[in-house]
Amino acid sequence: MSEHRKPLGIYVHIPFCLKKCDYCDFLSVPIKEETEWTTWYFQALKEEIQEYQEQAGSYVVSSIFLGGGTPTLPSEKWIIQIIEEIQNVFLVEKKAEITIECNPETVNRKKLQAYRETGINRISFGLQSADNRELKRLGRVHTYQRFLESFTAAREVGFSNCNVDLMFGLPGQTLDGWENTVRTAAALAPEHLSAYSLIVEEGTPFFEQRKQGLLSLPEEEEERQMYQKTEQWLEESGYQRYEISNYAKTGWECRHNLIYWSGEDYLGLGLGASSYLNGVRFQNTTDFKSYQKKEKRLEERERGAERLTITNQMEEFLFLGLRKMAGVSKT
């Protein structure tokens, strides 16, 4: 049935979060509780999925990634509805990788159980640091203990594929402090670890603090050591670096990320989400009110659509492929 279909990765953007972290420049909307905006957004998201009914016949979905924002903040009923809608419209592989990003402060056992029952089989925890002082400085809403409780609960309800996101180059962070975070996370034996360097983006509180001389970041040489030592520490715990910032136990590489880095087709659903289908790149509107209206969604997607030339596609394939430790093959 799926022999003639191309593999497809689907990204779903859930823009809601409890509060924006001081370093965050992602497209997100802080909310304390569910409002009519939540209902409107998920209704529009379901309608957008249905808009791809015709193109769906050309693809078989190998991965779904729910990111944000904080996808685990809204009620689990919305996540269940979105997964079911995708399954109604698209052919989804039985063993597809289905990931949800998680802020440790926003899940409980009931939610985690619901995610598992709806087919989500991979969870990505945004820990960032095992040091509560660093977490507070970042503006995170959780503590390390809260992360540990959420991670343990995820294991107990059956998540056998877990990722933990970590961040280095933080204000006041030392090489020893970073080593403690890396080794603490690795000791929990998640299948996958991501280690990213802090980037101070324009428009964030950190950007303003740096302009005012209030952001004390590690020196460039110390940050370089943090990056270089990470691979050594994680190799000692059984992880292999397979991409610039990503490490996995053998066989647990993130399939969704590999779709991006291998230049394969992906569909972005939700506010501001980007897509690449059949050599055409396009993006959804970033305006909340416009996204609710079908004609506005379609208009925005068509206006910014860009068909890549064969040369462009080859250049991107090389550029993205070189992020992977495996590189690219001449053949």
Side-chain angles (χ1 to χ4, degrees), residues 45-313:
L45 189 51
K46 286 188 285 184
E47 290 173 1
E48 186 191 3
I49 294 168
Q50 293 162 9
E51 290 163 16
Y52 288 97
Q53 192 87 46
E54 189 175 329
Q55 293 100 312
S58 302
Y59 293 99
V60 56
V61 176
S62 58
S63 77
I64 300 170
F65 194 104
L66 297 114
T70 304
T72 51
L73 176 59
S75 166
E76 60 272 24
K77 73 178 182 182
W78 297 119
I79 300 303
I80 292 169
Q81 288 179 25
I82 295 307
I83 295 293
E84 289 178 345
E85 198 64 54
I86 290 173
Q87 292 170 333
N88 287 339
V89 172
F90 290 87
L91 174 63
V92 179
E93 286 182 0
K94 287 184 179 178
K95 294 185 178 180
E97 176 189 270
I98 306 179
T99 304
I100 189 166
E101 286 186 331
C102 170
N103 181 311
E105 191 64 35
T106 61
V107 291
N108 52 38
R109 195 179 186 91
K110 177 174 172 284
K111 271 187 177 179
L112 291 166
Q113 188 69 53
Y115 298 151
R116 286 294 295 122
E117 290 173 359
T118 200
I120 296 174
N121 51 28
R122 185 175 184 271
I123 189 163
S124 180
F125 286 97
L127 170 58
Q128 314 312 350
S129 173
D131 185 320
N132 286 334
R133 292 168 301 178
E134 291 176 356
L135 290 173
K136 187 174 182 180
R137 185 68 180 88
L138 287 172
R140 301 292 290 177
V141 296
H142 66 89
T143 62
Y144 176 72
Q145 183 58 36
R146 187 69 183 89
F147 156 76
L148 200 56
E149 292 168 0
S150 298
F151 183 88
T152 301
R155 288 300 203 201
E156 289 173 351
V157 303
F159 278 99
S160 58
N161 189 357
C162 296
N163 170 63
V164 177
D165 277 348
L166 306 175
M167 189 178 290
F168 63 92
L170 308 183
Q173 190 179 52
T174 64
L175 183 61
D176 286 345
W178 172 238
E179 180 178 5
N180 177 64
T181 284
V182 172
R183 294 195 182 280
T184 298
L188 296 172
E191 286 65 37
H192 191 284
L193 282 158
S194 299
Y196 301 105
S197 171
L198 171 68
I199 298 175
V200 179
E201 301 283 6
E202 191 170 354
T204 64
F206 271 7
F207 185 82
E208 294 305 313
Q209 290 170 28
R210 188 172 65 179
K211 280 204 309 188
Q212 297 169 29
L214 301 175
L215 194 67
S216 177
L217 299 174
E219 295 293 329
E220 187 176 323
E221 178 57 33
E222 186 169 27
E223 185 175 338
R224 187 179 297 114
Q225 283 186 305
M226 291 177 180
Y227 176 75
Q228 292 170 344
K229 288 285 189 179
T230 302
E231 184 172 13
Q232 174 192 324
W233 298 330
L234 289 178
E235 276 190 357
E236 292 169 5
S237 296
Y239 296 88
Q240 296 298 316
R241 181 157 73 107
Y242 70 97
E243 189 270 344
I244 291 173
S245 303
N246 287 274
Y247 303 78
K249 293 183 176 180
T250 303
W252 294 99
E253 295 82 4
C254 177
R255 288 163 58 187
H256 190 81
N257 285 345
L258 287 171
I259 285 174
Y260 295 137
W261 302 324
S262 301
E264 297 178 20
D265 284 16
Y266 58 88
L267 174 63
L269 301 166
L271 196 68
S274 298
S275 302
Y276 177 68
L277 296 179
N278 290 319
V280 178
R281 178 180 291 113
F282 54 93
Q283 184 176 358
N284 280 344
T285 178
T286 58
D287 181 73
F288 209 104
K289 289 185 178 179
S290 295
Y291 179 72
Q292 294 175 61
K293 301 171 183 175
K294 181 177 179 178
E295 64 275 12
K296 291 284 189 180
R297 286 198 302 271
L298 296 174
E299 182 184 318
E300 184 74 13
R301 290 206 297 261
E302 291 169 6
R303 181 190 298 126
E306 175 192 9
R307 178 168 291 281
L308 301 188
T309 64
I310 295 298
T311 301
N312 292 152
Q313 292 179 47

